[in-house]
Amino acid sequence: MSTTRADFDKVMVPNYAPAGFIPVRGHGSRLWDQEGREYVDFAGGIAVSAVGHTHPAVVAALKEQSDKLWHVANVMTNEPAIRLAQKLVEHTFAERVFFANSGAEANEAALKLARKYATDHFPNNNTQKCAGCSVNGCLCATDKNEIIAFDNSFHGRTLFTVTVGGQPKYTQGFGPLPQAICHLPYNDIAAAEATISDKTCAVIVEPVQGEGGVTPAKRAFLQRLRELCDQYHALLIFDEVQSGAGRTGALFAYMKYGVTPDILSSAKGLGGGFPVGAMLTTEKIAASFGVGAHGSTYGGNPLACAVAGAVLDIISSPTTLQGVEERHQLFVSALNQLNDKHGIFKEVRGDGLLIGCALAPAFEGRGKDLVKACELEGLLLLIAGPSVMRLAPSLLITPADITEGMARFDRALVKFVVATI
């Protein structure tokens, strides 16, 4: 059966507005569409294709596992899931791992665990009737349930995670929303000091805000959050769905900052394109998720975990991580040269291979138009809001592909700037 882009509009729910072409093949940092046209991929599937398209080691892992076992659900465990968890524990602060299918599910688990941990360790010592179970003197609830998050954050699309995310546009029309969630300005230490209290059960933060504009946290800000969480017995959650899996040049961004969270969420690049998410935490905190407290039918799927294990082996190598730092410099240098020529950006920011280019005032709000202009030149990139161009390519992208992609970006900018004037 032949398909076209027009068929999408006939059969799919209209919550997406995809590009006008359909990619059918990929290799490394190149994609080809139905017409055979080639694109340099600076988008990386929104920071997902961490080792590029069809990496041979990852393909081999998938093929090998596909001949063995696809699914058993959580009524049993499986070897790839255990091996992946062992690797994550070996490489991070974590002692326990929960697998899910996406970043939203990993964050959902993290937030639920934080509230459950608070209930277990800080119950209400009341003699009143519990609103949850209508039992007098119940100790199953706690008023230590407030979650602190930050403006312009993004933590997923479930009702809980989209409410915790600090972008109201994503919650409009979906009320009533979960309660006891407070949003503060990002990188604002004074606001955090004034708000975090004994009622706070968790603080969730992206070390580098992705969807919110590719804005890195300040080291002092994350350090102070750690201190405040310790002071008020709250859990510090790092959402590393986008900043993790080698994206910043460290396996996870917390390692660069020298600030260790209590819970960490990972997804996107962890699977290199195969859906997988993970929540990492300590043994003490994990104990609040006893048998039956939380679950996922597909979480820990053998196929996903086999692929993620192969991806993790690649991205955790010193060669890959050092290469991210080197490629960052190539990108930033090339972007600054383009800016010198076209005056298109007011700021180039980010970390590693998560780079944001904030458009200059004359071009603000035109991010989607620039994405389209780049597509016409055979270059794929992203936006992070209407006025920030986002680059999140493969961690293994070659210098030659960077050079070619920037040449295409240059051609797109020539036409874009002329059209804007």
Side-chain angles (χ1 to χ4, degrees):
M1 178 185 297
S2 63
T3 59
T4 68
R5 171 61 181 81
D7 292 326
F8 175 95
D9 298 325
K10 298 176 183 178
V11 298
M12 303 290 280
V13 172
N15 60 310
Y16 299 121
F21 65 93
I22 299 179
V24 295
R25 182 169 65 91
H27 183 73
S29 291
R30 304 282 178 123
L31 281 172
W32 289 264
D33 67 16
Q34 289 175 313
E35 307 304 318
R37 189 172 185 207
E38 177 221 67
Y39 301 81
V40 176
D41 186 4
F42 282 0
I46 314 184
V48 167
S49 302
V51 295
H53 301 283
T54 61
H55 189 288
V58 179
V59 171
L62 177 59
K63 287 182 175 179
E64 179 182 357
Q65 185 60 42
S66 70
D67 286 333
K68 294 180 178 179
L69 182 68
W70 283 30
H71 179 71
V72 292
N74 50 44
V75 296
M76 288 172 268
T77 189
N78 65 82
E79 292 177 342
I82 294 172
R83 285 195 291 264
L84 178 58
Q86 288 172 329
K87 291 177 182 179
L88 288 168
V89 167
E90 175 187 352
H91 287 298
T92 70
F93 74 94
E95 298 165 327
R96 295 290 186 271
V97 179
F98 170 82
F99 289 122
N101 307 294
S102 66
E105 290 184 21
N107 282 328
E108 182 88 10
L111 295 164
K112 286 180 64 177
L113 177 58
R115 280 191 169 165
K116 184 64 165 56
Y117 180 84
T119 297
D120 290 347
H121 293 270
F122 306 97
N124 284 337
N125 294 309
N126 63 65
T127 58
Q128 303 300 314
K129 184 173 291 187
C130 170
C133 64
S134 300
V135 174
N136 285 326
C138 173
L139 300 182
C140 75
T142 179
D143 59 3
K144 188 178 180 64
N145 55 28
E146 183 182 55
I147 294 168
I148 303 293
F150 297 93
D151 295 339
N152 295 318
S153 61
F154 184 86
H155 300 296
R157 295 285 195 147
T158 68
L159 191 60
F160 194 1
T161 57
V162 82
T163 306
V164 172
Q167 300 187 58
K169 64 183 179 181
Y170 291 129
T171 59
Q172 292 174 1
F174 297 113
L177 303 174
Q179 300 299 300
I181 297 167
C182 177
H183 294 96
L184 304 178
Y186 191 66
N187 273 326
D188 190 329
I189 292 175
E193 290 175 336
T195 307
I196 298 172
S197 71
D198 287 325
K199 292 186 176 181
T200 306
C201 74
V203 176
I204 183 169
V205 62
E206 298 165 273
V208 182
Q209 285 192 333
E211 302 294 327
V214 192
T215 305
K218 296 177 181 177
R219 183 183 299 272
F221 173 64
L222 294 184
Q223 289 174 335
R224 188 61 179 135
L225 291 182
R226 177 71 276 174
E227 293 168 355
L228 291 167
C229 285
D230 290 341
Q231 178 181 346
Y232 291 105
H233 306 290
L235 300 184
L236 180 60
I237 303 170
F238 274 13
D239 177 345
E240 293 233 34
V241 170
Q242 195 156 165
S243 65
R247 181 62 47 187
T248 66
L251 185 57
F252 290 100
Y254 83 84
M255 298 169 177
K256 293 187 76 170
Y257 281 98
V259 178
T260 303
D262 299 297
I263 304 174
L264 181 147
S265 59
S266 178
K268 285 191 178 289
L270 180 63
F274 204 105
V276 64
M279 180 194 71
L280 284 60
T281 191
T282 65
E283 180 179 7
K284 179 182 178 181
I285 296 169
S288 287
F289 262 7
V291 174
H294 190 59
S296 170
T297 297
Y298 292 101
N301 173 271
L303 290 170
C305 290
V307 169
V311 172
L312 186 59
D313 287 343
I314 297 167
I315 63 177
S316 64
S317 73
T319 300
T320 299
L321 297 176
Q322 178 61 37
V324 171
E325 298 285 3
E326 295 168 356
R327 288 164 172 81
H328 173 83
Q329 296 303 322
L330 292 175
F331 268 102
V332 170
S333 176
L335 289 167
N336 284 332
Q337 290 178 28
L338 290 181
N339 201 34
D340 289 342
K341 180 177 179 180
H342 299 287
I344 189 76
F345 309 129
K346 65 180 178 183
E347 182 184 15
V348 175
R349 59 183 182 240
D351 198 359
L353 290 177
L354 182 56
I355 300 171
C357 306
L359 294 176
F363 306 100
E364 285 183 351
R366 299 286 308 282
K368 288 185 178 180
D369 295 333
L370 183 50
V371 166
K372 180 62 177 178
C374 289
E375 286 176 5
L376 294 175
E377 296 298 327
L379 175 65
L380 305 179
L381 44 72
L382 305 162
I383 57 172
S387 300
V388 179
M389 311 313 296
R390 177 173 30 159
L391 288 70
S394 163
L395 308 185
L396 305 179
I397 187 170
T398 65
D401 281 346
I402 296 173
T403 298
E404 176 59 26
M406 287 298 172
R408 298 182 187 191
F409 201 2
D410 187 15
R411 294 197 295 270
L413 286 172
V414 169
K415 297 176 182 178
F416 176 76
V417 171
V418 169
T420 301
I421 297 173

